[in-house]
Amino acid sequence: MAFRKALKGTAIIGTGAAAALLGLSEYRKTQARLAYVAAEGELKQPFKDELPTRQAQLSTLQDTEEFDVLVVGGGATGSGCALDAVTRNLKTALVERNDFSSGTSSRSTKLIHGGVRYLQKAIMKLDYEQYMMVKEALHERSNLLDIAPHLSAPLPIMLPVYKWWQLPYYWAGIKMYDLVAGGQCLKSSYVLSKNKALELFPMLKKDKLVGAIVYYDGQHNDARMNLAIALTAARHGAAIANYTEVVHLLKKTDAGTGKEKVCGARCRDVITGNEFDVRAKCVINATGPFTDSLRKMDDGKNTNICQPSAGVHIVIPGYYSPDNMGLLDPATSDGRVIFFLPWEKMTIAGTTDTPTDITAHPIPREEDINFILNEVRNYLSPDVEVRRGDVLAAWSGIRPLVTDPNSKDTQSICRNHIVNVSDSGLVTIAGGKWTTYRSMAEETLDAAVAAHRLGGGPSKTVGLVLEGGQDWSPTLYIRLVQDYGLENEVAQHLAATYGGKAFDVAKMARVTGKRWPIVGNRLVSEFPYIESEVRYAVKEYACTAIDVIARRTRLGFLNVQAADEALPRIVDIMGKMLDWSDKKRTEELEAAKKFLYLEMGYRSRSEQLTGTTEITLDTQEVANSVLIDRYTNRFHKFDKDSKGFITTVDVQRVLQNISVQIDENALHEILNEVDLNKNGQVELNEFLQLMSAVKKGQVSDSRLAILMKTAEESLDLRGPVTVDRSGGGV
């Protein structure tokens, strides 16, 4: 095992006191920029204008006699390895059995950080290795913010303090964090009074609050960042292919030693089933939680080096947090750390840290969701009711932690990484964290070059701007509005997602037929995702509807109900572009719905409604039967024929009586939210279960509940009734 050290003797040879006076971090930053300027002229982009299609990439994989490097795994680390290799002028290939960033890399806390808690452990335990890991991560944090400015930004994070003695203690720790960052400190941390803290974070619990400390870390769109790394590698000539799995490793006998050496992999196109060989001088195993699977494919006697840990996150409405201020709970009820962060105009909370089995489809557990909600309640004002029904999405990601076989506590495992070269030449990179993907890739390629004598020179990825970052500016969205007639919100979203490539997405947008916006039909009304993003996603190697809702857009991670509503249109657009049959379209729709149901927390919504077979209100209300009678009468106002169920026809009839017009498709969606057995109608029992769940806070802002209540209160109401989803939790 070779752990990367942030300090290298060669980095300061010949500089002596100058490096010490300037500060090592500032010196490294300056040197990195100079190195990038020098390297920029050497780098070539064979596909600067147009990326090759996935089929063209597969053809390259099959037709190339031998690559220098074959990377297995399309997560952040694997994509980083491919980019590092191809920019060293090595002939590079990458295969991923699912989609790019389909695993852990898209299910993070969305932070680019050095690790405050790791620094605390380093100081408390005098652990130099952890200290150097934090220092390296802070260097990488700065670099990542520089190379992808459209996908990342500094984020202030508040640490509320409820005991006077904690104020100097936490202040000293956070200031040490700033100090370790040196010249790469994003912004200096500062202390807030109680009143100022509440002004900036009004949802915060006031009782016993002493003050707060605010420090800065980075935040990013993790799946899009991963994709940007992979696409940048492709621009520079790497042959990359998603949905291409390794069946087995290829080996040949070394003439000099007589030992078997890995010389490539037998691969299979998951979509077509076609198998082919990809030969390479060096194979890199960057498969995250599945590291040991490939290692055992190399040698069945290998022992496990990764211990998986599940981290669950939830997404709740944006009103739970300020637009530009996160929150850190440094010590939860069981000693874990919880982040509470604004993200994509929503609020993300997490994470948990529990041992788990390795699976390609991790499912968030209800107990983990409730744990996070309970911790959030501890820090928010009693005026803010934290409801289970406000959970819009939930997911679980598997961290590939480097493990000590004797350790039983995953919380004590530092996320260091290892680089290992097996006897057969398989290079494995395991462990690590999102923020340090680039330095991990650099070390991995250094090891690969040394072990296989590949040549190619040093790494050139420090300062190498990623896909979309070259032509981005903070005001780019204004040009999108002015030049194409896009909505302001949509233009801001496109600029922040695609950077300079946003113009390519805008060019593909269709005319709306409205006075404004001129172009850009939304997939769902509440989110700024537009139909042309689906078309552009295919150019970015999206092969399934899941790729679009989970990784090209982030709709599935933000609101599963909205994603479910957008799916038919997404499948229709992709079907036309990829020439899908009716059978294939149905399969895609069902697969995407299953993904939302299991992996994104949609199942939880149904369980909240079906967990009780009869309505459960408090004792006095049940005894008086007041609410049950009220809800039953409300139902019968729509079920005029006493059928025992209501359909869209029944709802339309009542709405006409109160002069309300609702699109038929929207009405189907509203009923479908409550139609648990999916038979096209809502029975009385389903409606009572809904109202019970609404009352208990397990479901919030149900459009059907709001609509029926409004109709009951005033049958002679004039004007439209608003039924847009403000929450629609799962």
Side-chain angles (χ1 to χ4, degrees), residues 376-391:
V376 169
R377 290 186 186 102
N378 291 336
Y379 273 84
L380 296 188
S381 168
D383 296 338
V384 180
E385 184 183 358
V386 181
R387 303 177 296 185
R388 175 61 183 82
D390 283 334
V391 177

Side-chain angles (χ1 to χ4, degrees), residues 496-516:
T497 303
Y498 304 94
K501 299 296 180 183
F503 294 100
D504 295 338
V505 182
K507 289 174 185 176
M508 300 174 76
R510 304 283 173 84
V511 175
T512 64
K514 303 175 184 177
R515 187 181 63 82
W516 189 262

Side-chain angles (χ1 to χ4, degrees), residues 697-717:
Q698 294 171 332
V699 172
S700 64
D701 298 327
S702 163
R703 292 187 286 180
L704 181 64
I706 294 173
L707 186 149
M708 293 179 72
K709 179 182 177 183
T710 305
E712 180 190 50
E713 289 175 345
S714 180
L715 288 174
D716 61 348
L717 181 66

